[in-house]
Amino acid sequence: MKFFSDNAAAVHPHVMDAIIAANHLDSPYDGDALSQTLDDRFSQIFGTRVRALWVATGTAANALALSALCPPHKGVICHKMAHIEQDECGAPGFFMHGSKLILADGEGAKLTPAEISRVLASIRDDVHQVQPACVSITNASEYGLVYTAKEVAAIGELCKAKGLKLHMDGARFANAVASTGAHPGDITWRAGVDMLSFGCVKNGGMNAEAIIVFEPTLARELPYLRKRAGQLQSKGRFLAAQLLAMLEDDLWLANGAAANAGAQAIAHAAGDRLLYPVDANEVFVTLTAAEAASLRAQGFEFYDWGEMTEDGGEARFVTAWDQDADTVAPLAAAIAAL
Amino acid sequence: MKFFSDNAAAVHPHVMDAIIAANHLDSPYDGDALSQTLDDRFSQIFGTRVRALWVATGTAANALALSALCPPHKGVICHKMAHIEQDECGAPGFFMHGSKLILADGEGAKLTPAEISRVLASIRDDVHQVQPACVSITNASEYGLVYTAKEVAAIGELCKAKGLKLHMDGARFANAVASTGAHPGDITWRAGVDMLSFGCVKNGGMNAEAIIVFEPTLARELPYLRKRAGQLQSKGRFLAAQLLAMLEDDLWLANGAAANAGAQAIAHAAGDRLLYPVDANEVFVTLTAAEAASLRAQGFEFYDWGEMTEDGGEARFVTAWDQDADTVAPLAAAIAAL
Amino acid sequence: MKFFSDNAAAVHPHVMDAIIAANHLDSPYDGDALSQTLDDRFSQIFGTRVRALWVATGTAANALALSALCPPHKGVICHKMAHIEQDECGAPGFFMHGSKLILADGEGAKLTPAEISRVLASIRDDVHQVQPACVSITNASEYGLVYTAKEVAAIGELCKAKGLKLHMDGARFANAVASTGAHPGDITWRAGVDMLSFGCVKNGGMNAEAIIVFEPTLARELPYLRKRAGQLQSKGRFLAAQLLAMLEDDLWLANGAAANAGAQAIAHAAGDRLLYPVDANEVFVTLTAAEAASLRAQGFEFYDWGEMTEDGGEARFVTAWDQDADTVAPLAAAIAAL
Amino acid sequence: MKFFSDNAAAVHPHVMDAIIAANHLDSPYDGDALSQTLDDRFSQIFGTRVRALWVATGTAANALALSALCPPHKGVICHKMAHIEQDECGAPGFFMHGSKLILADGEGAKLTPAEISRVLASIRDDVHQVQPACVSITNASEYGLVYTAKEVAAIGELCKAKGLKLHMDGARFANAVASTGAHPGDITWRAGVDMLSFGCVKNGGMNAEAIIVFEPTLARELPYLRKRAGQLQSKGRFLAAQLLAMLEDDLWLANGAAANAGAQAIAHAAGDRLLYPVDANEVFVTLTAAEAASLRAQGFEFYDWGEMTEDGGEARFVTAWDQDADTVAPLAAAIAAL
């Protein structure tokens, strides 16, 4: 069984059905009936009027959102382990035309107001240093921790006080909401988030993500930026269909909860081996080299995280929507038996 | 019946079946089994060793290809009506970091060696003017004309002599190949084309296009550029599946031929009204305002092309893979009856 | 005698004296006493509160100004013969991160409201086409014609109505003001100009130009953009000194008038040979090949303009601040004698 | 007496004389007699065939050089305190179109092969992470330390082995050469440096720096990049004059040595207060708040470095070409007397 990442999991049957059902001639781009309902549907979910634009990848969602929040000569404060810094081949620099990612630190890849303040204090307010325009946080974080509504709000208040925009990378937003039980609006716009990259692919989608814009004026130029980035698909109905299927009957939350439950089962078995609290669907554990080999010999596949030495090291297990507690029971048992 | 564009047509059943069949966990990005066969499969089609990379849109295919062929401080010679100039919201300028599109003219949106030479002669060879690095042609052209292998080769020779790279926008490449009967290799790499944007979406695909690279050294950085542009999908198998389905049993050529046949039927009915030769699947005709209204009253939908005055103007009809001669017969009859 | 361009002329003695006088330790960048007076001094000249930033070249002044007026995904309408399009090696595309120059036509490299309106009407208001954000005009124009205050105001009104910013390339602004006698404010901010590239180098300076910003909010980010573009000199006092010397006792206007007078003398001699009205310090004339050779044999140096054939062609003579009517009399006589 | 920075010092009389002597009409841009000798003159200095291009600022020199060494999708390894990271308002990101500065650590703002190797090892060789293309070191470093020829060569070998280009920011190159006594060629091209930003402004120039290119193929596009960046001055002779004057009779080394001697005198007085070895013309010392106030009360001006608390902190003293040991004796005495 594979625990490399949720990013390559199968597409949920409801999503696939929605794609198949969308296969009829309709207006191109986002002029089709499905795309035209996205704003309304996401507005219901978030409890405020939003603009929702589909794109194909999380990298595009993040980079386009940031390019609308930060001008080319300024910077975005993010965690040094943030996906936008570590795993997007410089997409933010490309989409923002040279803007700088200003790196911060924090436990479990999470930022805090104190850390953001420390970074802000280190930047001289003169023309020689890149000035910050935006903060980006990831929820759930790259190490599987979540921000509570209160934590986001504390960051949001700081941003507002400092004139900074706030972006949330929600590649695993469903896992975060399912984990905290927070209302989607409470951990986003009510907490000061200006734009959200709403993840769908990792949660059972095929190739649709959404940029959710909570501040109408910020949405104005995004359709142009999307087109210019080669992200405006002519048969956009197939992306809208995925997102709508995911929202139907809260499938997105059910999927997120299932993946979280799988992770919890593994975490429970791992006990003291855990490197971080397991809030969402990622589990980081310490393993000796022999233990890692043993698990692999039993058919469990996963990534080493960092360097694995003779004495062992860290391993990452990620669960997907189709790997709930029951499904991962064999892995949990194997870990418990180490 | 809609003749706005082939870009929003239904997905061909074989393509949809291939997508459904790809719905199983596999390696992410382009590490899956399907993506891994793309190079081989396209190499067979073109009769030489190629690199084939999927992306989601034609704009991305064009802009990424050009960004690998032209450095930021140089320019790309293209027709003033080229899609990259007219319809991509500045994507080439974005992907190429400010490179200039150097505009040329030509009947039916086609370039000729003479016109390219004229443009080249107008550029002073000094640091004050943007120097050309590349030529981009569209086959079939934006007005539905095709380049023969010989015509491409003449441009290719000029490019080689002048040290310019040659890109072909093949959003409707299938229509061009089906129309000319040329071997795919003869109107591309054997004629000097360095990169091809291989269209699939307009020809019955869902959201996959391919960048075909005929010169191995030019392919080296493209995977990085694709990732950086937010075009690397984690479930890339669904894009590879579309392209492979399209190549299976030459479905791409059958689809292109069907659309072309539909256009021929309309063209035959249009007679003297034709504004351009109809080589592929686009038909441009002159209509009086009353005639346009009459066709629309009969349920035929199409775009005015340019300004429609009281006295009429030009109209564009585009046929898709599912609009062959039989299917469009009612439109042809209606035009003939005007 | 050389009539290639005013861009390489000697530095006026007053300017050189000011440079020498500035050679003492002072605060770096634009913190020195001279730089700190620039805003006030230029505000006096223009009759309104302006921000004035020195840069080293006209290309930098133009490109920085445009980058503050036009976002990366939009475009700037300019004449197809504009310096920014023809002679800056793509600097606008670089500084504006891929923005497009949208080309217009017009006699003598001048734009008119009618032509701008024609261009605007040709742009579809959808996400597929680059939308305009700005208009740039050159005064005096690349062919030596000037815009009157009334002509600029007509363009300014159109820009305001259409939500476009207005930039003026004033590499030869002194020649234009000296020619029209207009108040500097009347052909700029009172006529709707948002930013002006104020030329000094061609008018007897060494290496200082100024960006004049008439709208305070537009000036806010410019100091950062200047630094980021490598245009913030640490000994900026030497640039400020040049500009202040030029404004002292209206030296800039005296220099512009002298160059204009030289051009008038040539124009008078050229008579029917003139290709354009001579408003400023550039004269374009038709010459046979023999005539051109004869002038050169007499020691007059100048550029052919466009292609010079066996039958002759066009030639350009540019006068500088140190080539007034008396100085150019030999050339005028030689032309009259042809 | 001011010890803020050498960047605002007076221009050396020989340099000023050379500027005055260049005030005659000559060919524009770099076509003048002085600019045309730069390559030869610098080739003599470095003992190999080089290309030398003037620009106005060190930021431009660095950013242009890097843009010729690193494509937009790759990165440059540099020290986290490097000028290009800390003090250029994102110019590298702008000129390189979004390239990333990959930060390394090291005593006194110096890099070592070990540290560069550590950084390289931390970068996964896949499309998700920005791949390095170049290393940039500063000599003398931002903390006034110098690299010996041997130290540079060790880095150069590593770069060569890893396929990386090597850039040297030589804003204070004269101080480094004067300090080490190394042949200019030994600490640059013979040690593997591909391009050097040769500083002149901080060493008694007015507004000219030079990009020295040791690898001919890398120089090919630089003139275009310079023009596109608005750095090609039309009266370039005034920049060439500064550089040539600086090289005449090794004035650059004499100036560097004088500034270094001033720093040594201060360092000698500072004794245990020194934070770093003083190799060049920068001295970092610990001072109590009272001591700092005392020095300032005596008329010595300098920057606090980092945060100055009640208990004191760090201060930076920089000496210029006109602040040799004798000149700074009062400061040295004052420090010794603390």
Side-chain angles (χ1 to χ4, degrees), chain A residues 2 5-13 16 19-29 56-57 59-60 63 83 87-97 200-207 223-225 227-235 237-239 242 303 321 323, chain B residues 2 5-13 16 19-29 56-57 59-60 63 83 87-97 200-207 223-225 227-235 237-239 242 303 321 323:
Chain A
K2 290 180 175 172
S5 176
D6 43 356
N7 73 349
V11 171
H12 191 280
M16 188 62 89
I19 288 173
I20 295 167
N23 193 19
H24 48 81
L25 175 63
D26 198 344
S27 294
Y29 309 114
T57 67
T59 294
H83 197 267
D87 294 291
E88 299 188 348
C89 197
F94 174 41
F95 281 73
M96 292 193 287
H97 305 291
C200 168
V201 172
K202 286 185 166 75
N203 199 31
M206 181 186 286
N207 47 23
Y224 297 90
L225 298 177
K227 171 62 192 179
R228 184 175 181 245
Q231 289 284 342
L232 182 66
Q233 299 196 5
S234 52
K235 301 181 185 178
R237 60 191 184 267
F238 292 108
L239 280 76
Q242 297 176 52
Y303 282 124
W321 64 270
Q323 295 174 313
Chain B
K2 290 180 174 172
S5 176
D6 42 357
N7 74 348
V11 172
H12 190 279
M16 187 62 88
I19 288 173
I20 296 167
N23 193 20
H24 48 79
L25 176 64
D26 198 345
S27 294
Y29 308 115
T57 67
T59 294
H83 197 266
D87 294 292
E88 299 187 349
C89 197
F94 173 43
F95 281 73
M96 291 194 288
H97 306 290
C200 168
V201 172
K202 287 185 166 71
N203 199 31
M206 180 186 286
N207 48 21
Y224 297 89
L225 298 178
K227 170 64 192 177
R228 184 177 181 246
Q231 289 285 340
L232 183 66
Q233 300 196 4
S234 52
K235 302 182 184 176
R237 58 191 185 268
F238 292 108
L239 280 75
Q242 297 176 51
Y303 282 125
W321 65 271
Q323 295 175 313

Side-chain angles (χ1 to χ4, degrees), chain C residues 11 23 57 201 205 207 230-231 235, chain D residues 11 23 57 201 205 230-231 235:
Chain C
V11 171
N23 193 20
T57 66
V201 173
N207 48 23
Q231 289 285 341
K235 302 183 185 177
Chain D
V11 172
N23 193 18
T57 67
V201 172
Q231 289 285 341
K235 302 182 184 176

Side-chain angles (χ1 to χ4, degrees), chain C residues 60-86:
Chain C
N62 287 336
L64 279 171
L66 292 176
S67 75
L69 295 173
C70 177
H73 64 291
K74 295 199 172 183
V76 175
I77 297 174
C78 69
H79 196 281
K80 67 181 182 182
M81 297 309 295
H83 198 266
I84 57 175
E85 161 68 8
Q86 288 290 333

